[in-house]
Each structure stands twice: as structure tokens, then as C-alpha cells.
């Protein structure tokens, strides 16, 4: 069992930056691949970025490549999403999620993830 709590969301102007954090409970954080998802109003929840158990592999949605960076600190049981050059279309609720895996790869699909945080709102204004 793992519990996830996101923080760092808020209101930011287009072109600005935010860093989201996801704090995980327990001592098994390093056994999970992790991901960030987002859901805009009226839209499906989509993967934004994913990272493998020790951070050696990352994945980004095309819409955020070059602007967002996913990272993790297993010693601190924390996942991060650095968001730069924010756009209006980045406005959404952002969720972190944990995927049980024995491999060193990523989880890409929503239904592969076992645990979810409560979400944090990111609003980008003009």
C-alpha cells in the first residue's frame, strides 16, 4: 500500500513556471514506476510524463516535451514535475500515480497504475 499527496499547484501566468511535488508514504516508493496525469475540464485524464523506478527512463507526452521535466528522489520518497513555459492549455488537475512493476521500464497507460493522489489544480492565465 502507498499513499500519494500532491502539492505545488496554483495560479500562474502564461510563460511562467511551477514545480509540482508528490510525497509518497512508506518504504516501498522505489519499487514503483511513477507518472503524472492531468485532466482538464470536460476532457479525459491523460498521461503527462512517466519515470522508471530509479529514474533512468522517462516519457513525455508530445504536448509537454521540452517544457516539462519529471524527476524523482527515492531517498525522499518524492516525485516532481517541473513545468516551464506554461500555456493556457496546461490548465488542469494534475495527479501523481504509482505503478507496481518488477521491470526497470515505464508504465504508460492509466489502467496500469495502482495508486493515485488526490490531485492538485494548476491554472494558467493569459
Amino acid at each position: 500500500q502507498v499513499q500519494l499527496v500532491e502539492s505545488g499547484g496554483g495560479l500562474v501566468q502564461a510563460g511562467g513556471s511551477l514545480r509540482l511535488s508528490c510525497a509518497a508514504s512508506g518504504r516501498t516508493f522505489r519499487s514503483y514506476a511513477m507518472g503524472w496525469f492531468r485532466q482538464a475540464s470536460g476532457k479525459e485524464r491523460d498521461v503527462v510524463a512517466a519515470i522508471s523506478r530509479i529514474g533512468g527512463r522517462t516519457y513525455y507526452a508530445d504536448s509537454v516535451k521540452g517544457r516539462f521535466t519529471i524527476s524523482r528522489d527515492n531517498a525522499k520518497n518524492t516525485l516532481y514535475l517541473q513545468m516551464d513555459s506554461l500555456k493556457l492549455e496546461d490548465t488542469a488537475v494534475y495527479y501523481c500515480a504509482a505503478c507496481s512493476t518488477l521491470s526497470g521500464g515505464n508504465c504508460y497507460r492509466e489502467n496500469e497504475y495502482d495508486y493515485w493522489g488526490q490531485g492538485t489544480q494548476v491554472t494558467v492565465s493569459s
Side-chain angles (χ1 to χ4, degrees), residues 12 21-22 32 36 46 48 57 61 67 70 78 87 104 112:
V12 63
S21 298
C22 174
Y32 295 94
W36 286 100
D46 294 322
V48 175
R57 297 182 181 183
R67 300 189 298 119
I70 188 171
T78 304
K87 303 176 179 179
E112 294 182 272

Side-chain angles (χ1 to χ4, degrees), residues 64-126:
V64 307
K65 284 182 179 177
R67 300 189 298 119
F68 290 11
T69 304
I70 188 171
S71 62
R72 65 191 296 163
D73 187 339
N74 286 349
K76 297 181 178 180
N77 281 14
T78 304
L79 174 74
Y80 303 99
L81 184 68
Q82 178 67 44
M83 304 185 294
D84 298 320
S85 301
L86 283 161
K87 303 176 179 179
L88 293 177
E89 52 263 44
D90 295 319
T91 295
V93 177
Y94 284 71
Y95 300 87
C96 67
C99 176
S100 298
T101 179
L102 298 178
S103 77
N106 292 314
C107 299
Y108 300 101
R109 300 175 64 176
E110 183 174 358
N111 64 6
E112 294 182 272
Y113 287 84
D114 303 295
Y115 302 101
W116 295 82
Q118 82 288 349
T120 186
Q121 176 71 46
V122 172
T123 303
V124 183
S125 63
S126 62

Side-chain angles (χ1 to χ4, degrees), residues 23-42:
S25 67
R27 301 294 297 170
T28 60
F29 177 68
R30 65 191 307 132
S31 70
Y32 295 94
M34 300 293 295
W36 286 100
F37 291 75
R38 68 185 181 187
Q39 186 169 29
S41 180

